[in-house]
Amino acid sequence: MSGIPGAADPAEDVPDDLHPLRHAIRLPPRPGRPAPWPEWVPQNVVRALRDTGVEAPWSHQAEGAELAHAGRDVVVATGTASGKSLVYQLPVLARFAEDPRATALYLSPTKALAADQLRALSALGVPDVRPSPYDGDTPMDERDWARRHARWIFSNPDMLHRSLLPLHGRWSAFLRRLSYVVVDECHTYRGVFGSHVALLLRRLLRVARRYGATPTIVLASATVARPAEFAGVLTGRDVTAVVEDGSPSAGRTVALWEPPLLPELGGENGAPVRRPASTESARMLADLVVEGARSLAFVRSRRGAETTALTAQRLVADVDPDLVGRVAAYRGGYLPEERRALESALVRGELLGVATTNALELGVDIAGLDAVVVAGFPGTRASFWQQAGRAGRAGDEALVVLVARDDPMDTYLVHHPHALLGAPVESCVLDPGNPYVLAPQLACAAAELPLTEEDVERDFGGDAARTVLDALVEDGVLRKRSVGWFWPSARERPAATVDIRGSGLGQVAMVEAATGRMLGTVEGSSAPATAHPGAVYLHRGESYVVDELDLAAGLALVHAEDPDWRTDARSTADVDVVRVRSRTDHGPVSVYFGDVRVTGQVVAYQRRTPDGTVLETVPLDLPAQTLETRSVWYTIDEEVLDAAGITPARIPGALHAAEHAAIGLLPLFAICDRWDIGGLSTALHPDTGLPSVFVHDGHPGGAGLAERGHAVLERWLRATRAAIGDCGCRSGCPSCVQSPKCGNGNVPLDKAGAVVVLDLVLTALAEHPAPGGSQEAPA
């Protein structure tokens, strides 16, 4: 069935459309390729590593360490548990032995990962390293000690942005001797967050240069497409990639599992739904625990992790009550000591089954398990392989099961195993030139040190940065003098107000009105849809209802309530074409990429029962929001649609369904989430005069996602067509064309019409290629 060597077909006595096991593929074990210790590694470091069980480095570890020791910026993109940390430990520790005053900075996307790496380094017992954490949990007296005495700081981009760089004068001794900057799990720096981090690294290197340091950068990544190119964009420097994994790997069987449709249960608009992936995963986890297999089940939410663990415990109790205590949940939000205890119990085998969020995907040293269950595709192939890599002991076989959710991406993958198992991983997408990111980062840089023409040309993109700087001067944010651009205030620092992880539209605080307690925050861009008056807001498993939303003040007031209904926002949207950057004509189809203005407004919300029945539609009076971003779009001649049987009455539903499915499949080609993307389809767009489908970035200025979609349009739409065609429903469901974020309540949708539309577009692209050949880029 699969066409992949080693693949097994589902049982022959069960009809294919009813058997949940779509494919089973065995990946053979891989032997390790050891290499000699580099001659420059101090003997006490070699002894310390051997004492921990590292007899010799693997080939990729030695290759990456040699490059870094020679002063070459390097990115190591190899699999989970391949020992990437040794690539930077060896050159840093060797440098420390050569120069007693040399320093290093380690950056990770999470505090937990940095803490885990700090523990591993400290366990080596190498003298005079003086490592220290520097994050939001570090007490002030320890921060002071770290600034004065630590040689190796373990931190994150947030602390670099808010504390170290704005106060770089206090860090002058550390920065003057900065020899290495380690950027761990760098594939997580993508989209708007990645664009901020890219400019943050340029700020760091600029300030270090001010103190006379030119540190070598060592980056560690999951396997991603074109890692050298991505790392170069992230750091602004030429980076050499190490991608040949020399570590051993256990044999694994990867099973692709699609829960059956449950026609007796109707979802939104009567569409059939599948048995939830979390329910299937809980059952699998329970079965594995009963069999004595050490297992993880990865789920997508904190609440899902708790629910999956509880369900598995209940199922295990029916078979062997003594095993209930060996099943637990693991997620962010636990106290550090709780997380460490769970990690230790899992490593020692005291815990057999753990339901976890992606908190156990990155960094924490847990590998060698018997099985991993992935409840729903985690959004990227890179994340899937990170999670799958937790399974596999030397010499033993392991099991990995992907359980499909009601989602077009999951539908496509379980029917097309090559897309998951035989394809390269996605490209990381980021755009440091996004003016909505560049402007606040340039203001931060000018506040740290006045910006010179040389800085702008070398570090921040030249002419594009000058345009942004001129606007900042005109707005009074910066001042221009003959020698450069200056931050005018000696007291205020822009870093305090720039959120490097946000959308640029600020945060809305969710506050319990009766107590004044802040429960959490939501993005300003999503607040009208998720925090409008009457909305049900969930926080740590508790339900609240929103009483009031003040977007200008960034405040939503809520009260505790546990209603027996949920809420769905209803919205309108318009897309105006601002600038066409690219156009290609393909007979009856034209393809565009450019700048757009998206105007959206939440106009109502619906109260629905858990099964989707609408109880009430409540109008809302909220202001419209405008988003300047980038989009890819295509148009089709109406005559061609009519000739193919798509009458004018069917056009809106056909385009709408094609748009939804395309949004669901774009993450297959760019590391992103469907919530990072928006779209619009219309039978007659005022700017094109034709039936049109737009897919746009959901962030101001764009995050590079629509641009990536434009580059791989034909493959993207072909996968979209396959996902719709592979789904077993009749008229459309969440596994193909329904969207959980649709502002129109998934009305109208025409599944059959979407297939016709996509067939027409794909035929036109094939029969009328653009001048100069295909616009496709490698994955």
Side-chain angles (χ1 to χ4, degrees):
M1 174 180 291
S2 71
I4 293 178
D9 289 342
E12 295 181 359
D13 58 343
V14 180
D16 180 63
D17 59 344
L18 297 180
H19 202 293
L21 178 60
R22 295 300 182 186
H23 299 275
I25 302 96
R26 182 179 181 273
L27 305 178
R30 181 186 68 228
R33 299 194 307 274
W37 289 104
E39 294 181 359
W40 45 263
V41 179
Q43 285 305 304
N44 66 326
V45 173
V46 173
R47 287 193 298 271
L49 288 164
R50 283 178 170 160
D51 288 344
T52 64
V54 181
E55 286 301 320
W58 303 117
S59 58
H60 69 279
Q61 294 172 324
E63 180 185 357
E66 288 281 12
L67 288 166
H69 180 256
R72 298 271 298 277
D73 297 328
V74 60
V75 56
V76 183
T78 53
T80 306
S82 60
K84 291 186 283 287
S85 58
L86 196 66
V87 175
Y88 56 79
Q89 286 176 350
L90 293 181
V92 171
L93 294 175
R95 177 62 177 162
F96 281 10
E98 295 170 4
D99 181 355
R101 294 184 294 174
T103 61
L105 174 65
Y106 169 97
L107 299 172
S108 81
T110 66
K111 290 183 288 188
L113 174 55
D116 191 70
Q117 292 297 307
L118 176 58
R119 281 194 301 275
L121 177 67
S122 300
L124 292 178
V126 177
D128 202 31
V129 175
R130 301 201 301 273
S132 174
Y134 190 79
D135 58 40
D137 294 338
T138 308
M140 293 304 298
D141 57 339
E142 294 183 24
R143 294 189 192 187
D144 291 339
W145 185 92
R147 186 170 60 248
R148 292 194 301 267
H149 303 294
R151 299 186 68 194
W152 198 340
I153 295 289
F154 284 74
S155 189
N156 52 59
D158 308 83
M159 289 298 286
L160 179 64
H161 166 66
R162 291 183 176 272
S163 181
L164 195 155
L165 287 178
L167 302 173
H168 62 81
R170 300 181 184 179
W171 289 86
S172 59
F174 178 86
L175 292 169
R176 187 172 293 113
R177 299 293 181 177
L178 186 60
S179 300
Y180 286 93
V181 174
V182 178
V183 184
D184 207 355
E185 303 292 0
C186 66
H187 64 281
T188 62
Y189 300 128
R190 57 186 185 263
V192 170
F193 178 42
S195 301
H196 274 292
V197 172
L199 293 165
L200 179 60
L201 290 173
R202 288 157 173 78
R203 286 165 51 198
L204 169 64
L205 296 173
R206 173 175 171 260
V207 169
R209 196 163 53 242
R210 161 67 174 77
Y211 291 101
T214 54
T216 300
I217 305 177
V218 183
L219 304 100
S221 172
T223 49
V224 295
R226 300 190 296 274
E229 178 183 326
F230 163 67
V233 175
L234 184 65
T235 62
R237 290 163 57 161
D238 292 332
V239 181
T240 302
V242 174
V243 296
E244 293 295 329
D245 193 337
S247 64
S249 174
R252 294 185 181 92
T253 295
V254 180
L256 306 181
W257 188 274
E258 185 176 39
L261 288 167
L262 304 175
E264 71 275 10
L265 295 179
E268 188 167 2
N269 303 319
V273 297
R274 296 189 184 277
R275 185 180 297 147
S278 58
T279 302
E280 291 281 83
S281 300
R283 182 180 62 78
M284 290 181 181
L285 185 62
D287 288 344
L288 290 163
V289 168
V290 170
E291 293 295 325
R294 293 170 57 210
S295 309
L296 288 179
F298 283 98
V299 296
R300 289 173 65 92
S301 70
R302 292 180 175 185
R303 188 172 187 177
E306 299 281 3
T307 302
T308 300
L310 288 171
T311 303
Q313 287 173 341
R314 186 173 66 250
L315 294 172
V316 166
D318 293 337
V319 179
D320 186 348
D322 292 338
L323 289 175
V324 172
R326 303 185 72 180
V327 179
Y330 181 102
R331 60 173 176 80
Y334 287 169
L335 296 174
E337 54 268 27
E338 293 176 315
R339 293 199 304 269
R340 299 292 89 79
L342 287 168
E343 293 161 13
S344 297
L346 183 58
V347 169
R348 293 193 301 267
E350 296 169 8
L351 282 176
L352 281 177
V354 174
T356 177
T357 61
N358 63 357
L360 281 182
E361 176 184 325
L362 297 179
V364 179
D365 188 16
I366 295 176
L369 303 177
D370 298 302
V372 165
V373 179
V374 183
F377 182 62
T380 69
R381 287 182 291 251
S383 288
F384 173 78
W385 289 116
Q386 285 283 101
Q387 295 177 4
R390 295 302 186 192
R393 304 182 195 176
D396 291 333
E397 293 288 316
L399 174 66
V400 178
V401 184
L402 171 62
V403 182
R405 292 181 304 138
D406 256 351
D407 184 270
M409 174 76 83
D410 292 45
T411 300
Y412 179 79
L413 291 174
V414 296
H415 287 272
H416 299 267
H418 271 298
L420 180 63
L421 306 172
V425 291
E426 306 90 340
S427 297
C428 289
V429 176
L430 69 159
D431 179 15
N434 179 341
Y436 291 88
V437 176
L438 192 54
Q441 287 291 330
L442 286 172
C444 292
E448 289 153 7
L449 291 170
L451 277 166
T452 65
E453 285 282 354
E454 183 182 3
D455 294 333
V456 172
E457 190 65 38
R458 176 179 51 203
D459 299 319
F460 296 107
D463 289 341
R466 290 187 189 91
T467 300
V468 173
L469 286 166
D470 289 343
L472 291 172
V473 171
E474 184 176 346
D475 293 340
V477 176
L478 297 180
R479 292 179 183 172
K480 177 71 185 298
R481 298 177 184 170
S482 59
V483 293
W485 292 264
F486 292 76
W487 176 254
S489 174
R491 295 183 180 179
E492 298 177 358
R493 298 185 184 276
T497 60
V498 175
D499 179 10
I500 64 173
R501 295 180 185 261
S503 67
L505 298 178
Q507 301 283 320
V508 171
M510 308 298 293
V511 176
E512 189 173 23
T515 64
R517 178 170 62 106
M518 190 174 86
L519 304 175
T521 62
V522 299
E523 286 278 349
S525 58
S526 62
T530 59
H532 58 76
V536 176
Y537 173 71
L538 296 177
H539 177 72
R540 294 193 176 181
E542 301 294 329
S543 296
Y544 300 83
V545 174
V546 179
D547 299 314
E548 181 182 344
L549 172 63
D550 187 337
L551 289 170
L555 178 68
L557 299 177
V558 305
H559 69 270
E561 184 178 342
D562 189 15
D564 56 359
W565 38 263
R566 60 180 173 88
T567 53
D568 289 329
R570 293 292 168 259
S571 60
T572 61
D574 293 304
V575 174
D576 298 318
V577 176
V578 176
R579 176 188 175 189
V580 175
R581 293 177 176 267
S582 172
R583 170 179 176 170
T584 54
D585 295 317
H586 311 265
V589 172
S590 293
V591 176
Y592 302 82
F593 170 71
D595 302 342
V596 297
R597 181 180 300 108
V598 182
T599 303
Q601 185 172 19
V602 175
V603 296
Y605 71 93
Q606 292 179 335
R607 291 180 178 171
R608 291 176 175 266
T609 62
D611 65 2
T613 302
V614 177
L615 300 174
E616 181 184 16
T617 299
V618 182
L620 291 169
D621 182 19
L622 293 174
Q625 290 187 302
T626 300
L627 174 68
E628 304 275 353
T629 189
R630 291 184 178 176
S631 179
V632 55
W633 67 97
Y634 61 84
T635 63
I636 314 177
D637 288 346
E638 190 170 351
E639 294 82 358
V640 175
L641 288 170
D642 190 60
I646 306 299
T647 61
R650 292 184 65 190
I651 290 177
L655 297 181
H656 195 197
E659 170 216 331
H660 277 186
I663 290 173
L665 265 293
L666 184 55
L668 187 64
F669 301 94
I671 295 185
C672 67
D673 189 275
R674 70 186 297 166
W675 298 92
D676 296 324
I677 316 160
L680 176 108
S681 54
T682 176
L684 180 64
H685 192 274
D687 292 330
T688 67
L690 291 167
S692 306
V693 174
F694 291 78
V695 176
H696 61 79
D697 285 11
H699 300 280
L705 305 175
E707 185 172 11
R708 175 66 180 162
H710 179 252
V712 296
L713 181 73
E714 187 171 346
R715 288 179 30 239
W716 171 28
L717 295 186
R718 200 171 298 283
T720 302
R721 163 63 172 86
I724 300 174
D726 290 336
C727 186
C729 74
R730 289 187 176 182
S731 58
C733 71
S735 291
C736 55
V737 298
Q738 287 193 352
S739 170
K741 53 182 288 190
C742 180
N744 295 321
N746 287 299
V747 176
L749 288 176
D750 184 339
K751 176 182 177 180
V755 171
V756 174
V757 166
L758 292 167
D759 282 342
L760 289 173
V761 174
L762 290 167
T763 299
L765 292 175
E767 294 181 351
H768 305 276
S774 171
Q775 293 197 38
E776 295 236 19

